[in-house]
């Protein structure tokens, strides 16, 4: 009879053979195999009765006792394809539990979605490497802010802008506000709300949008925007990044929000800026 063995099985067979030939003590075999003496005695007894084949586990090739039932796997994938086809594994797992009462691990759902072609793992995507900028030390020391123009309500309402505030030290999402456009008035309103909620930060870190920096060459212009003057009066420093990668924390938050927030608002049937601003605090 042909018996297929792994390297571990062959090593164990050699040890048990030496015990059988009385060239190795049982307690030494137990130490080498990381078993108890009684376990070694049981393996030795099976070896004497059935030969080398007894070394191989009888469970090999059989499904595990804790394997998830196939009908549950099919039901979960059907729900994902029907309702959450464009969701990531983590969000899909949360919604399966929250809306359908199906408790699964993220890795289980991830593997199912990959095998079903619903998710492409990050290891197969093109990777861009940038020089990291070190985080600040304390919460509120530096807050990255950015406006993200996107179809936040999909086809239920026109495109709008989401103002995003992310703490640099912790990566924590601090504040969100929906608005029609990325204007100085909207940034002032959102910043006032931020200060009422969290207090005054030491500095804001933004891009070179016209709200934050005068980009023209007209000598008659003062060089400071209305928003910049407001921050100066509040003794808040405004730093403008030279690239989008430099404020990568808020950029990555935008990507996450464009994935998760859009789908959450779809599930809650939110279709207007006023409804979204009222609801988004609970989302944060």
């Amino acid at each position: 009879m042909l018996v297929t063995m792994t390297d571990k099985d062959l090593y164990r067979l050699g040890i048990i053979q030496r015990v059988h030939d009385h060239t190795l003590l049982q307690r030494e075999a137990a130490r080498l195999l990381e078993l108890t003496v009684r376990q070694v005695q049981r393996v030795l007894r099976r070896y004497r009765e059935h030969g080398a084949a007894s070394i191989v586990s009888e469970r090999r090739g059989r499904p595990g006792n804790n394997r998830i039932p196939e009908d549950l796997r099919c039901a979960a994938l059907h729900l994902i394809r029907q309702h959450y086809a464009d969701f990531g594994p983590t969000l899909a797992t949360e919604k399966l539990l929250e809306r359908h009462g199906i408790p699964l691990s993220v890795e289980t759902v991830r593997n199912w979605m990959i095998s079903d072609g619903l998710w492409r793992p990050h290891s197969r995507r093109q990777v861009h490497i940038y020089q990291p900028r070190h985080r600040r030390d304390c919460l509120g020391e530096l807050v990255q802010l950015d406006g993200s123009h996107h179809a936040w309500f999909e086809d239920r309402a026109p495109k709008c802008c989401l103002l995003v505030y992310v703490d640099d030290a912790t990566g924590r999402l601090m504040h969100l506000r929906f608005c029609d456009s990325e204007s100085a008035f909207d940034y002032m309103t959102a910043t006032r709300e931020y200060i009422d909620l969290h207090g005054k930060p030491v500095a804001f870190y933004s891009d070179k949008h016209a709200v934050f920096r005068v980009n023209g060459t007209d000598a008659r212009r003062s060089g400071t925007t209305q928003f910049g003057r407001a921050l100066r009066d509040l003794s808040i420093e405004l730093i403008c990044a030279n690239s989008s990668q430099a404020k990568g924390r808020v950029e990555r938050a935008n990507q996450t929000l464009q994935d998760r927030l859009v789908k959450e608002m779809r599930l809650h049937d939110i279709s207007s800026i006023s409804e979204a601003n009222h609801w988004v605090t609970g989302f944060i």
Side-chain angles (χ1 to χ4, degrees):
M1 181 179 64
L2 180 64
V3 179
T4 303
M5 290 188 174
T6 64
D7 291 340
K8 183 178 179 181
D9 293 333
L10 291 172
Y11 174 72
R12 176 175 287 197
L13 176 61
I15 298 294
I16 296 300
Q17 180 66 50
R18 290 173 61 190
V19 176
H20 175 73
D21 295 340
H22 303 290
T23 60
L24 184 68
L25 296 176
Q26 291 183 2
R27 64 172 179 270
E28 286 299 317
R31 182 181 63 81
L32 293 172
L33 297 176
E34 297 182 352
L35 301 173
T36 65
V37 173
R38 292 185 64 182
Q39 287 174 311
V40 170
Q41 291 171 351
R42 286 197 293 269
V43 174
L44 180 62
R45 187 161 53 249
R46 289 199 304 269
Y47 174 76
R48 287 169 176 165
E49 293 176 359
H50 304 290
S54 64
I55 301 297
V56 180
S57 173
E58 296 179 356
R59 298 292 306 172
R60 181 171 298 172
R62 300 182 184 179
N65 292 331
N66 59 345
R67 183 182 182 183
I68 297 175
E70 185 64 21
D71 57 347
L72 178 59
R73 176 181 179 275
C74 293
L77 284 174
H78 175 72
L79 289 170
I80 293 173
R81 282 192 294 267
Q82 186 175 7
H83 302 290
Y84 316 117
D86 57 343
F87 284 36
T90 302
L91 186 57
T93 303
E94 293 175 8
K95 295 308 166 187
L96 286 175
L97 178 61
E98 177 184 323
R99 300 172 68 89
H100 307 284
I102 301 178
L104 295 168
S105 72
V106 174
E107 284 307 312
T108 296
V109 175
R110 189 191 315 279
N111 290 332
W112 288 354
M113 292 179 68
I114 291 173
S115 63
D116 208 54
L118 295 170
W119 179 252
R120 186 180 181 189
H122 292 284
S123 59
R124 300 179 191 171
R125 304 177 188 178
Q126 186 176 1
V127 179
H128 300 277
I129 301 175
Y130 301 98
Q131 180 67 32
R133 183 182 57 79
H134 296 295
R135 293 178 183 266
R136 293 297 179 95
D137 296 327
C138 303
L139 176 70
E141 186 176 348
L142 181 68
V143 175
Q144 298 187 16
L145 70 162
D146 191 32
S148 178
H149 298 267
H150 188 66
W152 293 102
F153 308 111
E154 298 174 302
D155 57 353
R156 303 186 304 278
K159 269 186 158 184
C160 64
C161 182
L162 177 64
L163 306 185
V164 183
Y165 292 65
V166 174
D167 180 68
D168 184 77
T170 62
R172 174 181 163 189
L173 187 63
M174 305 297 289
H175 186 55
L176 298 173
R177 179 177 175 80
F178 289 91
C179 54
D180 290 318
S181 62
E182 195 174 0
S183 67
F185 176 79
D186 289 310
Y187 268 111
M188 288 180 181
T189 303
T191 300
R192 173 60 187 267
E193 293 171 349
Y194 174 92
I195 293 174
D196 288 341
L197 287 169
H198 306 290
K200 190 175 67 172
V202 176
F204 280 126
Y205 197 61
S206 70
D207 55 20
K208 295 181 179 179
H209 191 277
V211 171
F212 310 112
R213 167 177 164 166
V214 176
N215 297 313
T217 57
D218 191 342
R220 295 173 296 177
R221 306 184 71 175
S222 64
T224 305
T225 63
Q226 289 180 317
F227 185 72
R229 287 195 294 272
L231 293 185
R232 184 179 60 193
D233 292 342
L234 292 169
S235 299
I236 300 174
E237 184 182 3
L238 178 61
I239 305 171
C240 294
N242 291 320
S243 67
S244 58
Q245 290 80 21
K247 54 185 185 69
R249 288 168 184 74
V250 72
E251 295 288 348
R252 286 191 295 273
N254 287 340
Q255 294 178 1
T256 302
L257 291 168
Q258 288 175 9
D259 176 41
R260 296 179 66 105
L261 182 56
V262 168
K263 294 162 186 172
E264 290 280 3
M265 291 194 295
R266 181 201 307 164
L267 295 175
H268 287 82
D269 196 26
I270 295 173
S271 305
S272 69
I273 289 176
S274 58
E275 290 176 350
N277 282 331
H278 179 72
W279 170 84
V280 77
T281 302
F283 172 81
I284 295 175

